Amino acid sequence: MSEQIIIFDTTLRDGEQALQSSLSTKKKLKIALSLEEMGIDIIEAGFPISSPGDFKSVEAISKKLKNSIICSLARCVQKDIDVAAEAMRFAKNFRIHIFLGTSPLHVKSKLKKSFSEIIDMAVFSIKQAKRYTNDIEFSCEDAGRTPINQLCYIVENVIKAGATTINIPDTVGCTIPHEFSQIIKSLYNKVPNIDKVVLSVHCHNDLGMATANSITAIQAGVRQIEGTMNGMGERAGNTALEEVIIAIKLKKNNLNLHTNIKHKKIYKTSKLISEICNTFIPSNKAIVGTNAFSHSSGIHQDGILKNRKNYEIITPESIGLKPIKLNLTSRSGRAAVKYHMIEMGYDEKLYNLDILYNSFLKLADKKGQVFDYELEALAFIDQKENDNEHFRLKKIDVQKQSIGITFSSIELYCGKKIKIAETKTKKGLINSIYITLNKIANFPIFLKNIQLITKKKKIHIEISTKVQIEYKKRQFYGIGNAKDIAESTALAIIHILNNIWRANKVNIILKNIKK
Ligand code: KIV
Ligand code: ZN
């Protein structure tokens, strides 16, 4: 029978350690509830002794979790354990996670103790924690660099003291899969009471081995994996849980294992966490990167359209994404263009694929990626009108006024007319430009994302602004380049307003065709 792998998430503890500023209680609660919805078994909500803010967050989360078990970190210090238990007092069930360095380096140079003192501290702390709960995890910090006999000895003693989960962290991410697997196998072979506990691993990604080490540990017998969503965490981060979870799902027959995770919630949770934490997910990141399920070359796109299995080992739907994403670039073939048109609901009778493909290639050569709304405009709006921008910037003036107030005045060509709008707001420069421009365009839009990139040119600085705006549930992307933030932002938004204007025009043209 397939055995369960327990998924332990430490996004709110190890993951948060890597952020430049700590998250508010409200944000942490949002993340915890989304992790619970995804089916995470154990949520390490924080390190309550570390700050009053962390204590408050753990306390708030412990009141709300219904299915996931909450866990808090504590050093081998009486006060840490008492405070961890107090922060989780509202929870039905909770786990105390105690850690202590066990490698010679940590024992001598960090803790300045002897190894026997380390054993005493660990055993004493577990007994203290037992006063509050039976669910106690003990982590041998820097286990990856702890001599195996020393590691076996401490593990045997902490199990005797009452620990119920033993975690083997590769704290500095220095091991490679074969080595790490040997550590786990030795623990199973040499520790007489090892069958009394769940063995867990916690891998850091300094050599890019975190997922591989976690999987090899599972094969060697561990039944709990620790990690974070998107691989957030100290230095190069922790094991990316989404990678391990999907690997277990994909190899379920080979491993004979499963998790309790609701796979379809993975993408949503990953995105929420990256937005709340303001951490960027690289486009080629396994499982959750924007390119992880997109196909670019003509050969791949054609292959995918014939049979998705040609280039897809897991379906995007299985993590909660839309099926098939074909990037439209100059490498795309007719099949991809036709597929996009069908996806948008356009029958081939409505347009000429050969003509569309030719104008698509010209645009793709000029600008790289072509978006669906641009393809639609190419199909239904004639070339001359497509080249003409309806909205064009005439003048922009943005000033910081009295404390916190930004004043924007923008003049815009709208076809042959000129329109002017002004705004005074406390919402900052970017919002002030966005609000002013939309006073003129008057579309029901929603600013989703904005990214500023500064490029150093020979004699000046160029600002490149990328904007994402939602309009009637459709995503529009714009870029603006200028010497200052105000102008580059305005140009990026105007770029989008023009595409929305064209999309509306396509609607009118199609309505007339149907009549
Ligand atoms: O990396 C590590 O060793 C840790 C422990 C506290 C588990 O984060
Ligand atoms: Zn760690």
Side-chain angles (χ1 to χ4, degrees), residues 5 24 53 66 71 73 132 144 154 159 184 219 236 265 283 287 295 307 313 344 362 364 399 413 458 471 505:
I5 295 293
S24 64
K66 291 195 178 76
C71 169
L73 189 67
Y132 299 112
I154 188 158
I159 297 174
I184 304 301
Q219 289 176 298
K265 305 274 179 192
S283 57
I287 317 295
H295 307 272
N307 181 351
I313 57 159
M344 288 189 281
K362 280 185 204 144
Q399 289 165 21
Y413 292 105
K458 262 190 195 146
Y471 170 72
K505 188 155 185 181

Side-chain angles (χ1 to χ4, degrees), residues 10 13-14 17 44 73 97 99 137 139-142 167 169-172 202 204 226 235 238:
T10 181
R13 199 276 299 167
D14 217 329
Q17 280 170 214
E44 186 163 55
L73 189 67
H97 177 191
F99 74 103
E137 174 166 329
S139 280
C140 308
E141 194 191 7
D142 206 15
N167 185 36
D170 181 11
T171 303
V172 289
H202 172 116
H204 280 266
E226 297 194 9
R235 306 178 310 279
N238 289 61

Side-chain angles (χ1 to χ4, degrees), residues 12 16 22-25 28 45-63 70-73 79-90:
L12 294 172
E16 203 225 19
S22 42
L23 298 170
S24 64
T25 297
K28 285 193 182 175
F47 187 10
I49 192 77
S50 67
S51 73
D54 223 42
F55 181 94
K56 206 173 129 218
S57 301
V58 171
E59 192 179 50
I61 294 168
S62 76
K63 286 181 185 165
I70 187 167
C71 169
S72 286
L73 189 67
K79 188 95 202 288
D80 280 32
I81 295 164
D82 295 343
V83 171
E86 197 194 333
M88 298 187 289
R89 68 194 180 283
F90 296 109

Side-chain angles (χ1 to χ4, degrees), residues 191-408:
V191 178
N193 49 2
I194 197 80
D195 59 324
K196 303 225 164 10
V197 290
V198 172
L199 206 56
S200 164
V201 291
H202 172 116
C203 300
H204 280 266
N205 204 28
D206 300 66
L207 293 176
M209 300 282 169
T211 299
N213 281 347
S214 302
I215 296 292
T216 203
I218 287 177
Q219 289 176 298
V222 311
R223 290 296 175 259
Q224 177 178 287
I225 292 294
E226 297 194 9
T228 58
M229 286 306 288
N230 308 330
M232 283 166 66
E234 286 281 351
R235 306 178 310 279
N238 289 61
T239 301
L241 284 179
E242 66 278 8
E243 294 175 13
V244 172
I245 292 164
I246 293 295
I248 294 172
K249 178 174 157 65
L250 186 68
K251 301 285 170 190
K252 64 175 190 290
N253 295 335
N254 176 310
L255 298 170
N256 204 18
L257 296 169
H258 67 274
T259 68
N260 275 345
I261 297 299
K262 297 183 183 86
H263 301 99
K264 289 206 163 124
K265 305 274 179 192
I266 289 180
Y267 186 73
K268 187 177 147 208
T269 311
S270 148
K271 198 156 176 272
L272 177 99
I273 291 174
S274 95
E275 279 168 11
I276 291 182
C277 300
N278 216 355
T279 49
F280 173 75
I281 301 177
S283 57
N284 63 341
K285 163 81 186 62
I287 317 295
V288 291
T290 47
N291 280 353
F293 293 99
S294 66
H295 307 272
S296 285
S297 86
I299 293 173
H300 284 220
Q301 292 184 339
D302 184 53
I304 260 295
L305 291 172
K306 286 177 176 146
N307 181 351
R308 291 173 60 179
K309 287 191 177 147
N310 280 327
Y311 292 103
E312 234 177 47
I313 57 159
I314 33 167
T315 63
E317 298 96 306
S318 65
I319 64 152
L321 271 171
K322 279 202 192 135
I324 308 189
K325 192 172 165 223
L326 305 182
N327 280 341
L328 285 177
T329 67
S330 57
R331 292 181 301 277
S332 303
R334 276 180 169 65
V337 168
K338 187 173 161 188
Y339 172 80
H340 270 267
M341 291 301 281
I342 293 171
E343 279 289 283
M344 288 189 281
Y346 301 126
D347 192 288
E348 217 185 314
K349 284 184 211 128
L350 287 171
Y351 64 96
N352 181 314
L353 182 61
D354 290 330
I355 299 176
L356 174 60
Y357 187 64
N358 278 339
S359 36
F360 156 74
L361 277 185
K362 280 185 204 144
L363 183 65
D365 269 340
K366 205 161 84 185
K367 73 175 285 281
Q369 188 172 358
V370 174
F371 293 102
D372 56 358
Y373 48 84
E374 290 168 322
L375 190 65
E376 187 184 63
L378 287 177
F380 301 112
I381 301 177
D382 72 49
Q383 184 73 40
K384 223 162 128 201
E385 269 196 81
N386 240 331
D387 288 346
N388 285 338
E389 300 287 35
H390 179 75
F391 299 109
R392 279 162 298 127
L393 185 63
K394 182 168 186 292
K395 201 170 157 206
I396 178 164
D397 180 19
V398 183
Q399 289 165 21
K400 275 232 154 354
Q401 291 191 329
S402 53
I403 344 144
I405 294 187
T406 309
F407 169 78
S408 309

